[in-house]
Amino acid sequence: MIGHLFSLVIDCPAPAELAGFYEKLLTLTRVEDSGDYVVLASPDGRERVTFQRVGDYRPPRWTDPGHPPQMHVDVLVTDLDVAEEAVLALGATLLEGSDKPIGYRVYADPAGHPFCLVTREGVTPPGQPAPEEGAGRPGPGDDR
């Protein structure tokens, strides 16, 4: 092992605004805000998401190789329909091409970054135990 995840860093044009979206989506708390740099963290500090201002920000476009997503976040939820209603109310957009399958759906946050809502059906390979709450999807080779 080389290290541990310290923070997921997301480039965006307006860190405070985008951090507000993720505060509600992930139930994290703002622990630092310098204007150009905002950090959200869990109470124990183990989960961190950082937003940094980029002057010439160009949002990704889902399935457009000319504007690749560069990163995305999977959020484990219990009910996709209930969670979808909540993220749309926060300002998310259901992305075209997300056919709303059982197990996951793809959205864009207010700055255009794709993220997925996933359920245990979407993250558990057949014959495997369900992941713990907060665990993500399987890693490389897991096509969407």
Side-chain angles (χ1 to χ4, degrees):
M1 174 184 344
I2 294 174
H4 299 278
L5 176 65
F6 176 68
S7 183
L8 172 63
V9 179
I10 301 175
D11 293 347
C12 61
E17 184 178 312
L18 192 58
F21 174 84
Y22 279 97
E23 278 178 292
K24 293 173 184 151
L25 177 64
L26 301 174
T27 318
L28 297 174
T29 303
R30 196 172 298 222
V31 295
E32 184 179 336
D33 187 341
S34 69
D36 288 334
Y37 192 81
V38 177
V39 178
L40 304 180
S42 60
D44 64 7
R46 293 180 62 195
E47 294 144 353
R48 294 171 50 102
V49 181
T50 302
F51 305 87
Q52 65 183 9
R53 184 180 315 277
V54 173
D56 190 22
Y57 177 74
R58 292 179 1 160
R61 292 187 200 147
W62 186 249
T63 70
D64 179 353
H67 295 86
Q70 300 136 8
M71 69 88 196
H72 77 270
V73 176
D74 284 347
V75 180
L76 186 63
V77 300
T78 303
D79 183 307
L80 282 173
D81 293 327
V82 171
E84 177 175 281
E85 185 177 327
V87 299
L88 294 176
L90 288 175
T93 305
L94 180 67
L95 292 177
E96 186 176 331
S98 179
D99 57 1
K100 300 178 90 172
I102 294 172
Y104 74 93
R105 295 182 191 155
V106 185
Y107 303 83
D109 69 20
H113 301 104
F115 70 95
C116 295
L117 296 179
V118 299
T119 62
R120 294 195 187 289
E121 297 87 357
V123 299
T124 307
Q128 297 294 315
E132 295 298 318
E133 193 68 32
R137 290 178 55 86
D142 176 34
D143 293 334
R144 292 189 189 203

